Each structure stands twice: as structure tokens, then as C-alpha cells.
Amino acid sequence: MKYRLPAQAGLMLASVLLACLAQAEDLFDADGYRSSQYRSPTPSSLEGVQIVDTPALQKLLAERPDTRLIDVYRRPFVQDRFVEDAPHSNLPDSLWLANVGDGNLAPQWQRYFTHYLHQQSRGDVRQPFVFYCRSDCWLSWNAARRAHAMGYRQLYWYRDGIDAWEQAGLPLVPAQPAELPAAFFTPTATP
């Protein structure tokens, strides 16, 4: 009788821990990309990718003007076109590759991502790329990780993104996503 309460408490704690582990597994897909709850605290490191803050990004851009800024903020894509649900601004001279930061990347978005990285790098895997979104945004973490898996080697993650840039009093410019070429559309089944 005297061990019944601690045993029940132990079982309850074990159940809670198992539920937390199951939920944590749901946050990432089988390949390790974050696949839900994209707007939540992000880690302070990413293998193969250097994290930069605003001063470090400014220094990088001054020293390496060939660095390409890649904004991965999401934008609804409906009936084969981007739909502006709200105005979006990003860092000057950025390429906005909307929707490439999703965890479970659909084939059309993978082709879109691959196409524009190859175009911007002219096939050089040493091309410096900086991926960003907003603060506490896993989309840029996913995109930088994905670029690393594709073989790119000079990668940076501007972890606090647009929010940090704006807080530093630096300019943002109105933006539109890069066009998704019609050839990349996923074929739809006909009835």
C-alpha cells in the first residue's frame, strides 16, 4: 500500500514523457527537417552552416559582395500562382524563394529551390548563400540544411532574419517571390 502512490506517479510521469517524445517526433520528418510548428524557438547551431547575426551579416556582405541572400518566407500558392495574402518586404538584393523551407518539400518546390540555387551559383558549390526568414522560424533552418545536403559549402543562416534587420534600423524593400516556372508544376490527375 505504501508504494502505490509513488508507483502511480511514476507511471503518470512516464506517460507524459512518452507523449512528449511522440510529439517531438511529429515535429520532424524522417529526413530530420522540421515539418510543423515552424514559428517556434530555433536551435543555436546547424551542422555545416555558419550562423550570423546582423553585424556579422553586414561584414560578410561588405567583404563578399557576391554573397546571395535567400529569403524563404512562405507565400500561398493557389491555382498555379502566388497569392499575396499580405505585403512582404525583405533585405535589399534578396532572392525570395517562397515555400522552400517546408519540411516535407513537394517535388515542385524542390525543383524550384534547386533551379534557383544552381542559377545563382552558376553551378559553383562554393557560392556563399545566406538563408533567412523571420526570428524563431524553422523555414530558414530547413532551407540552409537542405542546401548543405545538396552539396553547397559556404552557407550562412541569418537566424533572426527580417526581424533583426528591421530592429537594427536597416532598410527593407517590397518583395515578390521568384517565379515558379510552369515546367515545375506538379502534374494533377485528371478525372
Side-chain angles (χ1 to χ4, degrees):
M1 241 359 209
K2 63 182 177 180
Y3 297 107
R4 182 178 227 165
L5 187 57
Q8 288 175 340
L11 287 174
M12 284 179 44
L13 179 60
S15 296
V16 168
L17 289 174
L18 285 174
C20 289
L21 285 174
Q23 183 180 13
E25 288 176 12
D26 291 342
L27 295 175
F28 295 88
D29 70 10
D31 295 322
Y33 294 99
R34 181 71 173 234
S35 58
S36 66
Q37 298 181 24
Y38 295 118
R39 290 302 303 270
S40 58
T42 54
S44 58
S45 64
L46 176 54
E47 184 178 339
V49 179
Q50 185 175 338
I51 296 176
V52 291
D53 59 10
T54 304
L57 177 56
Q58 290 178 297
K59 182 179 180 193
L60 174 66
L61 293 172
E63 292 174 357
R64 294 285 314 264
D66 62 327
T67 300
R68 296 297 296 146
L69 298 169
I70 308 294
D71 179 0
V72 299
Y73 194 71
R74 294 173 106 187
R75 171 60 54 96
F77 193 76
V78 180
Q79 296 181 348
D80 299 336
R81 65 182 184 88
F82 288 105
V83 177
E84 186 170 343
D85 56 341
H88 180 67
S89 295
N90 61 21
L91 282 61
D93 299 320
S94 292
L95 176 64
W96 183 9
L97 298 180
N99 307 335
V100 300
D102 286 357
N104 301 309
L105 205 56
Q108 70 187 24
W109 299 115
Q110 181 63 52
R111 289 189 297 269
Y112 175 70
F113 189 55
T114 301
H115 167 77
Y116 280 106
L117 289 189
H118 184 76
Q119 181 187 69
Q120 295 298 305
S121 69
R122 293 174 299 289
D124 183 358
V125 297
R126 295 165 307 186
Q127 169 66 44
F129 284 109
V130 176
F131 295 92
Y132 72 92
C133 185
R134 303 202 74 94
S135 64
D136 294 327
C137 181
W138 285 85
L139 299 172
S140 53
W141 185 90
N142 280 344
R145 186 173 184 269
R146 187 169 281 118
H148 183 262
M150 293 166 61
Y152 291 95
R153 293 298 174 244
Q154 289 195 13
L155 302 173
Y156 302 87
W157 177 32
Y158 185 34
R159 185 172 172 236
D160 292 323
I162 294 167
D163 297 322
W165 190 263
E166 190 172 36
Q167 287 173 358
L170 298 167
L172 294 171
V173 296
Q176 291 297 320
E179 178 185 348
L180 177 66
F184 295 171
F185 294 159
T186 304
T188 55
T190 55

